[in-house]
Amino acid sequence: MYELKTLLPQFDITLPTCMYELRNVSLSAGATPGPANQDTTAVLERQEKVLKQLEELKAQLGKIRASLGVRVCGKTVQHTTAYQNGGLKEVPLHDVVVNGHPNFIPYALLALKNAWRDLYTIDVKTFTHSTMADIGPAAREFEANLAKVSMNPALPKINVTLIWKNCEHTEMISSPTMYVPIYGEVNIIRYLGRVGPTEYRYENSPLCNEIDAVLDICYQLLRCTTHKSQVAMVRLLDKRLQQQQYFGGDQMSVADIGVYSSLIRMPAITDKDLTPALLAWRKRAKLITQI
């Protein structure tokens, strides 16, 4: 092999004294017992102690799972009574946040709060974002009406934070860990209808498709830009109502909440645009929504 010349001269290097000195803990063949082997033995003893503590912790978690009725091996869960009766009667939901513009007041929150007064509590707290200099008299009146509704602490509750914000659409954030908005007041009504009292859950109702169709009309109504198109949507609502007491049949449903809130947000629609059946329905709905 070629012999390489030393490029750097030999220097006496003084090692710093401010650094820790690490011992060689490797067990080489034929190594004699010494400080290195003693350190290795200490590491192994600590490892055994940690593994023993992990086994004890695993046993404790197993006892907790057994007390909750949860089985992990079969990937199945034995739900408690709270889950079997709907869950929401005993298990609280995550708080939700609603961002809304004062020009598009979500009257459905007030309507649901009044309609569910004896069934479920919607605790709404309002705040004003820095993008809004003034929320206006209508929003302030809405806040005052929300505060007037009494709450029963014995009932299940969901906390709603309403933030007046300079935003284009009313949106709701239901997840505390990720930003997954639900756009539109009608879709917020759908969400609350699915997690609210059992009397207003409509997914298993034979009128499920009918209620969804009414809410879809409300969604289109709120996006109509001309009075003619608004009246056309009102005519569709009248065909859906027909001779029923409410849009969900003989009892109030989230469909009625959506229609009532949408009509309030449409001041251009007057009594002249409503049919006698819709006028009679609005009187009945007003007794429940109290708006």
Side-chain angles (χ1 to χ4, degrees):
M1 298 178 66
Y2 292 102
E3 182 180 357
L4 298 177
K5 295 182 180 180
T6 303
L7 299 179
L8 297 176
Q10 295 294 332
F11 292 101
D12 293 332
I13 300 176
T14 304
L15 297 177
T17 58
C18 61
M19 300 175 65
Y20 293 103
E21 181 180 357
L22 297 179
R23 297 178 180 177
N24 184 8
V25 296
S26 63
L27 297 177
S28 58
T32 58
N37 292 339
Q38 294 176 0
D39 291 342
T40 304
T41 303
V43 171
L44 293 176
E45 290 177 353
R46 287 198 297 268
Q47 180 181 353
E48 291 295 330
K49 183 178 180 181
V50 171
L51 292 176
K52 183 178 179 181
Q53 292 176 345
L54 289 175
E55 288 296 331
E56 294 176 354
L57 180 60
K58 183 178 179 181
Q60 293 177 4
L61 291 176
K63 293 179 180 179
I64 294 175
R65 276 198 296 269
S67 63
L68 294 176
V70 179
R71 294 182 301 173
V72 179
C73 297
K75 300 296 183 181
T76 59
V77 178
Q78 295 179 350
H79 297 292
T80 60
T81 306
Y83 181 90
Q84 295 171 358
N85 65 13
L88 301 177
K89 294 296 183 181
E90 300 177 18
V91 180
L93 289 171
H94 288 298
D95 299 348
V96 298
V97 177
V98 176
N99 296 322
H101 196 285
N103 293 340
F104 311 107
I105 300 175
Y107 287 101
L109 292 178
L110 178 57
L112 288 173
K113 190 172 184 179
N114 284 317
W116 295 354
R117 184 193 303 264
D118 300 326
L119 302 172
Y120 201 87
T121 298
I122 301 180
D123 188 6
V124 183
K125 291 182 172 55
T126 59
F127 299 90
T128 303
H129 194 263
S130 59
T131 55
M132 297 302 305
D134 183 25
I135 62 175
R140 285 193 288 270
E141 181 183 2
F142 176 76
E143 290 181 344
N145 291 333
L146 283 173
K148 291 179 182 177
V149 183
S150 60
M151 295 186 298
N152 186 351
L155 296 175
K157 181 177 72 171
I158 180 172
N159 296 318
V160 178
T161 300
L162 174 60
I163 302 177
W164 300 117
K165 192 176 182 180
N166 188 14
C167 53
E168 184 178 0
H169 303 286
T170 303
E171 62 178 17
M172 184 186 78
I173 294 88
S174 59
S175 174
T177 57
M178 62 182 68
Y179 187 84
V180 183
I182 297 176
Y183 290 107
E185 182 182 3
V186 172
N187 292 325
I188 295 175
I189 294 173
R190 282 191 171 102
Y191 174 84
L192 295 176
R194 284 170 166 81
V195 302
T198 55
E199 292 82 356
Y200 278 77
R201 298 181 198 173
Y202 66 95
E203 286 185 310
N204 296 326
S205 170
L207 297 174
C208 175
N209 293 333
E210 179 67 21
I211 293 175
D212 272 328
V214 173
L215 292 176
D216 288 340
I217 296 175
C218 295
Y219 186 87
Q220 298 175 20
L221 173 62
L222 294 173
R223 278 149 184 78
C224 292
T225 56
T226 64
H227 184 261
K228 183 178 180 180
S229 59
Q230 292 174 359
V231 173
M233 292 296 106
V234 171
R235 293 292 180 265
L236 291 178
L237 290 174
D238 180 65
K239 291 180 180 179
R240 292 289 180 179
L241 180 62
Q242 296 181 355
Q243 301 301 320
Q244 300 179 113
Q245 293 291 312
Y246 299 99
F247 284 96
D250 296 332
Q251 295 181 349
M252 189 85 166
S253 69
V254 291
D256 300 275
I257 300 295
V259 176
Y260 197 86
S261 176
S262 300
L263 292 178
I264 295 178
R265 290 179 52 182
M266 291 290 172
I269 299 179
T270 62
D271 291 351
K272 296 181 180 179
D273 301 318
L274 302 179
T275 62
L278 284 174
L279 289 173
W281 163 84
R282 190 174 65 175
K283 291 181 180 179
R284 292 189 294 269
K286 186 176 183 180
L287 295 176
I288 299 176
T289 60
Q290 299 181 15
I291 304 178

